[in-house]
Protein backbone atom coordinates (compact mmCIF):
# COMPACT_ATOMS: atom_id res chain seq x y z
CA UNK A 1 0.00 0.00 0.00
CA UNK A 2 1.21 3.49 -0.71
CA UNK A 3 0.10 7.10 -0.63
CA UNK A 4 0.01 7.57 3.13
CA UNK A 5 1.82 6.92 6.38
CA UNK A 6 0.23 5.46 9.52
CA UNK A 7 2.28 4.79 12.67
CA UNK A 8 1.34 3.05 15.92
CA UNK A 9 3.41 3.21 19.11
CA UNK A 10 2.63 1.62 22.47
CA UNK A 11 4.82 3.08 25.22
CA UNK A 12 4.54 4.35 28.76
CA UNK A 13 0.96 3.24 29.35
CA UNK A 14 -0.36 4.80 26.13
CA UNK A 15 -1.04 3.64 22.63
CA UNK A 16 -0.89 6.28 19.90
CA UNK A 17 -1.82 6.02 16.23
CA UNK A 18 -0.98 8.88 13.91
CA UNK A 19 -1.29 9.46 10.20
CA UNK A 20 -0.65 12.11 7.62
CA UNK A 21 -3.39 13.88 5.67
CA UNK A 22 -2.26 13.58 2.07
CA UNK A 23 -4.47 11.96 -0.55
CA UNK A 24 -2.69 11.34 -3.83
CA UNK A 25 -4.14 10.33 -7.17
CA UNK A 26 -1.21 9.09 -9.20
CA UNK A 27 1.35 11.89 -9.21
CA UNK A 28 -1.10 14.54 -8.00
CA UNK A 29 -1.99 15.62 -4.47
CA UNK A 30 -5.78 15.99 -4.44
CA UNK A 31 -6.24 16.66 -0.73
CA UNK A 32 -3.88 17.56 2.07
CA UNK A 33 -6.04 17.32 5.18
CA UNK A 34 -7.73 13.91 5.05
CA UNK A 35 -8.44 12.17 8.35
CA UNK A 36 -7.10 8.61 8.08
CA UNK A 37 -7.02 7.97 11.82
CA UNK A 38 -10.23 7.64 13.82
CA UNK A 39 -11.92 6.25 16.91
CA UNK A 40 -14.13 3.18 16.72
CA UNK A 41 -16.30 1.19 19.11
CA UNK A 42 -17.48 4.17 21.20
CA UNK A 43 -13.92 5.47 21.50
CA UNK A 44 -12.48 2.23 22.91
CA UNK A 45 -10.53 1.42 19.71
CA UNK A 46 -8.39 3.62 17.50
CA UNK A 47 -7.45 2.84 13.93
CA UNK A 48 -5.70 4.17 10.86
CA UNK A 49 -5.73 3.07 7.23
CA UNK A 50 -3.54 3.11 4.16
CA UNK A 51 -4.94 2.51 0.70
CA UNK A 52 -8.17 3.31 -1.06
CA UNK A 53 -10.40 5.58 1.01
CA UNK A 54 -13.69 3.95 0.05
CA UNK A 55 -12.22 0.53 0.77
CA UNK A 56 -10.93 1.67 4.15
CA UNK A 57 -14.32 3.11 5.13
CA UNK A 58 -15.94 -0.20 4.16
CA UNK A 59 -13.43 -2.05 6.34
CA UNK A 60 -13.92 0.34 9.27
CA UNK A 61 -17.69 -0.25 9.04
CA UNK A 62 -17.16 -4.02 8.98
CA UNK A 63 -14.77 -3.82 11.91
CA UNK A 64 -17.34 -1.78 13.88
CA UNK A 65 -19.88 -4.55 13.26
CA UNK A 66 -17.40 -7.21 14.41
CA UNK A 67 -16.62 -5.19 17.53
CA UNK A 68 -20.34 -5.05 18.32
CA UNK A 69 -20.53 -8.81 17.80
CA UNK A 70 -17.43 -9.43 19.97
CA UNK A 71 -17.37 -6.55 22.50
CA UNK A 72 -14.06 -6.05 24.26
CA UNK A 73 -12.36 -8.64 22.03
CA UNK A 74 -10.37 -6.66 19.47
CA UNK A 75 -8.21 -9.61 18.40
CA UNK A 76 -11.23 -11.85 17.83
CA UNK A 77 -13.06 -9.11 15.91
CA UNK A 78 -9.99 -8.52 13.73
CA UNK A 79 -9.50 -12.22 13.00
CA UNK A 80 -13.16 -12.53 12.00
CA UNK A 81 -12.92 -9.40 9.81
CA UNK A 82 -9.78 -10.70 8.14
CA UNK A 83 -11.40 -14.09 7.45
CA UNK A 84 -14.30 -12.29 5.77
CA UNK A 85 -11.86 -10.02 3.92
CA UNK A 86 -10.10 -13.05 2.41
CA UNK A 87 -13.15 -15.14 1.57
CA UNK A 88 -15.92 -12.71 0.63
CA UNK A 89 -16.06 -12.07 -3.13
CA UNK A 90 -16.64 -8.33 -2.65
CA UNK A 91 -14.29 -7.74 0.28
CA UNK A 92 -11.30 -9.57 -1.18
CA UNK A 93 -11.04 -6.89 -3.86
CA UNK A 94 -10.58 -4.12 -1.30
CA UNK A 95 -7.15 -2.52 -1.34
CA UNK A 96 -6.22 -1.20 2.08
CA UNK A 97 -4.29 -2.00 5.23
CA UNK A 98 -5.23 -1.03 8.77
CA UNK A 99 -3.58 -0.50 12.12
CA UNK A 100 -5.99 -0.83 15.06
CA UNK A 101 -5.48 -0.77 18.82
CA UNK A 102 -7.32 -0.88 22.10
CA UNK A 103 -5.96 -0.65 25.63
CA UNK A 104 -4.52 -4.17 25.51
CA UNK A 105 -3.45 -4.96 21.94
CA UNK A 106 -2.41 -3.31 18.67
CA UNK A 107 -2.74 -5.09 15.33
CA UNK A 108 -1.98 -4.75 11.63
CA UNK A 109 -4.71 -6.09 9.32
CA UNK A 110 -4.38 -6.87 5.63
CA UNK A 111 -6.44 -8.45 2.89
CA UNK A 112 -3.94 -11.27 2.56
CA UNK A 113 -5.01 -12.55 5.97
CA UNK A 114 -2.46 -10.85 8.20
CA UNK A 115 -3.38 -10.08 11.81
CA UNK A 116 -0.02 -9.09 13.30
CA UNK A 117 1.05 -7.63 16.63
CA UNK A 118 3.92 -5.15 16.48
CA UNK A 119 7.37 -6.08 17.65
CA UNK A 120 8.57 -3.72 20.34
CA UNK A 121 5.26 -1.86 20.38
CA UNK A 122 5.91 -0.05 17.08
CA UNK A 123 4.32 -0.70 13.67
CA UNK A 124 3.75 1.36 10.52
CA UNK A 125 2.02 0.99 7.15
CA UNK A 126 1.81 2.95 3.92
CA UNK A 127 4.34 4.38 1.51
CA UNK A 128 6.13 6.30 4.25
CA UNK A 129 5.65 3.53 6.78
CA UNK A 130 9.20 2.21 6.67
CA UNK A 131 10.61 5.72 7.16
CA UNK A 132 8.33 6.36 10.12
CA UNK A 133 9.07 2.93 11.56
CA UNK A 134 12.83 3.46 11.35
CA UNK A 135 12.55 6.91 12.94
CA UNK A 136 10.32 5.59 15.74
CA UNK A 137 12.68 2.73 16.51
CA UNK A 138 15.60 5.16 16.62
CA UNK A 139 13.65 7.42 19.00
CA UNK A 140 12.39 4.60 21.23
CA UNK A 141 15.24 5.01 23.72
CA UNK A 142 15.22 8.82 23.62
CA UNK A 143 12.93 9.37 26.59
CA UNK A 144 10.22 10.90 24.39
CA UNK A 145 6.65 9.89 25.14
CA UNK A 146 4.62 7.93 22.58
CA UNK A 147 2.77 10.93 21.16
CA UNK A 148 5.94 12.97 20.69
CA UNK A 149 7.60 9.98 19.02
CA UNK A 150 4.67 9.60 16.62
CA UNK A 151 4.73 13.31 15.73
CA UNK A 152 8.49 13.37 15.16
CA UNK A 153 8.57 10.08 13.24
CA UNK A 154 5.73 11.13 10.94
CA UNK A 155 7.48 14.45 10.41
CA UNK A 156 10.63 12.63 9.34
CA UNK A 157 8.61 10.42 6.98
CA UNK A 158 6.99 13.53 5.47
CA UNK A 159 10.44 14.96 4.73
CA UNK A 160 11.39 11.80 2.78
CA UNK A 161 8.24 10.30 1.23
CA UNK A 162 6.49 12.25 -1.54
CA UNK A 163 3.17 10.54 -0.67
CA UNK A 164 3.25 11.79 2.94
CA UNK A 165 2.64 15.29 4.24
CA UNK A 166 3.07 17.04 7.59
CA UNK A 167 -0.66 17.43 8.29
CA UNK A 168 -0.77 14.90 11.11
CA UNK A 169 -3.82 13.49 12.91
CA UNK A 170 -3.22 11.61 16.17
CA UNK A 171 -5.48 9.53 18.41
CA UNK A 172 -4.40 8.15 21.78
CA UNK A 173 -5.67 5.69 24.37
CA UNK A 174 -4.41 5.35 27.91
CA UNK A 175 -3.95 1.73 28.94
CA UNK A 176 -5.45 2.38 32.38
Amino acid sequence: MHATTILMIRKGGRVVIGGDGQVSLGQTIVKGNARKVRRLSKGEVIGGFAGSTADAFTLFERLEAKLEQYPGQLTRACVELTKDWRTDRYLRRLEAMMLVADKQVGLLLSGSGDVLEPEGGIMAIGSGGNYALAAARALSDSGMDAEAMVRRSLGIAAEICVYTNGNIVIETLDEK
Side-chain angles (χ1 to χ4, degrees), residues 29 43 64 172:
I29 298 168
E64 282 275 11
T172 65

Side-chain angles (χ1 to χ4, degrees), residues 8-10 15-17 45-46 74-75 78 98-109 115-119 121-123 173 175:
M8 174 175 55
I9 297 177
R10 185 178 297 273
V15 61
V16 180
I17 296 180
V45 174
I46 53 178
L74 179 61
T75 302
C78 289
M98 300 171 67
L99 289 178
V100 295
D102 66 8
K103 293 178 182 182
Q104 289 81 36
V105 66
L107 301 166
L108 177 146
L109 310 177
V115 179
L116 304 170
E117 278 193 78
E119 186 174 314
I122 302 171
M123 188 168 275
L173 285 174
E175 291 176 352

Side-chain angles (χ1 to χ4, degrees), residues 34-62:
R35 187 170 177 85
K36 302 173 199 173
V37 177
R38 60 192 56 235
R39 290 188 171 273
L40 306 165
S41 189
K42 300 175 185 166
E44 296 296 315
V45 174
I46 53 178
F49 70 87
S52 167
T53 305
D55 293 354
F57 286 134
T58 300
L59 291 167
F60 274 141
E61 288 173 8
R62 297 285 181 123

Side-chain angles (χ1 to χ4, degrees), residues 54-119:
D55 293 354
F57 286 134
T58 300
L59 291 167
F60 274 141
E61 288 173 8
R62 297 285 181 123
L63 180 57
E64 282 275 11
K66 295 295 183 187
L67 289 165
E68 287 176 14
Q69 189 175 356
Y70 305 105
Q73 300 178 63
L74 179 61
T75 302
R76 173 86 188 269
C78 289
V79 167
E80 294 299 324
L81 171 66
T82 305
K83 282 198 275 187
D84 291 351
W85 195 352
R86 282 187 54 116
T87 59
D88 182 272
R89 188 188 269 322
Y90 168 72
L91 290 178
R92 85 176 126 207
R93 294 188 179 150
L94 300 183
E95 296 181 12
M97 291 181 80
M98 300 171 67
L99 289 178
V100 295
D102 66 8
K103 293 178 182 182
Q104 289 81 36
V105 66
L107 301 166
L108 177 146
L109 310 177
S110 79
S112 59
D114 298 313
V115 179
L116 304 170
E117 278 193 78
E119 186 174 314

